[in-house]
């Protein structure tokens, strides 16, 4: 995503890995997400059609992390909650 490139490579919001299995991908293909930047890309480009309040919150948190206002682990937590909101398998 071009807009993510404007953020410093040093501040991509690295966090402990979380594994997501999105229905948009083939079944059994898991995606390891390790940063707020990756989480934002996933939320914007590969997320299932269910986009509720936790999805919106996750995007907001990812942006706050990338801007340096929020700890990276907050993006991880928000991503996990957004996945649970649409019944997406999460591991880690």
């Amino acid at each position: 995503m071009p807009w993510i490139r404007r953020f410093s490579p040093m501040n991509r919001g690295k966090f402990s890995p979380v594994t997501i299995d999105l229905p948009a991908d083939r079944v059994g293909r898991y995606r390891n997400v390790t940063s707020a930047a990756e989480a934002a890309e996933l939320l914007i480009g590969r997320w299932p059609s269910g986009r509720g309040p936790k999805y919106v919150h996750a995007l907001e948190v990812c942006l706050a992390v990338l801007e340096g206002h929020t700890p990276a682990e907050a993006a991880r937590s928000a991503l996990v909650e957004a996945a649970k909101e649409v019944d997406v398998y999460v591991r880690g």
Side-chain angles (χ1 to χ4, degrees), residues 40-57:
E41 288 176 1
L42 183 67
L43 287 162
I44 292 168
R46 309 275 310 178
W47 206 249
S49 60
R51 295 181 177 184
K54 291 182 181 181
Y55 167 85
V56 173
H57 177 69

Side-chain angles (χ1 to χ4, degrees), residues 6-79:
R6 75 179 189 177
F7 295 101
S8 164
M10 296 298 291
N11 184 28
R12 298 200 38 94
K14 290 284 187 185
F15 52 67
S16 50
V18 62
T19 304
I20 308 269
D21 182 16
L22 291 176
D25 291 338
R26 288 184 297 233
V27 174
R29 289 201 50 183
Y30 302 102
R31 297 178 61 110
N32 290 317
V33 182
T34 62
S35 71
E38 289 177 9
E41 288 176 1
L42 183 67
L43 287 162
I44 292 168
R46 309 275 310 178
W47 206 249
S49 60
R51 295 181 177 184
K54 291 182 181 181
Y55 167 85
V56 173
H57 177 69
L59 276 177
E60 291 170 348
V61 171
C62 287
L63 182 58
V65 169
L66 293 171
E67 291 176 338
H69 303 298
T70 304
E73 287 296 324
R76 183 187 189 283
S77 297
L79 176 64

Side-chain angles (χ1 to χ4, degrees), residues 79-92:
L79 176 64
V80 168
E81 290 303 312
K84 290 177 182 177
E85 181 178 47
V86 292
D87 294 323
V88 167
Y89 175 76
V90 179
R91 179 178 53 191

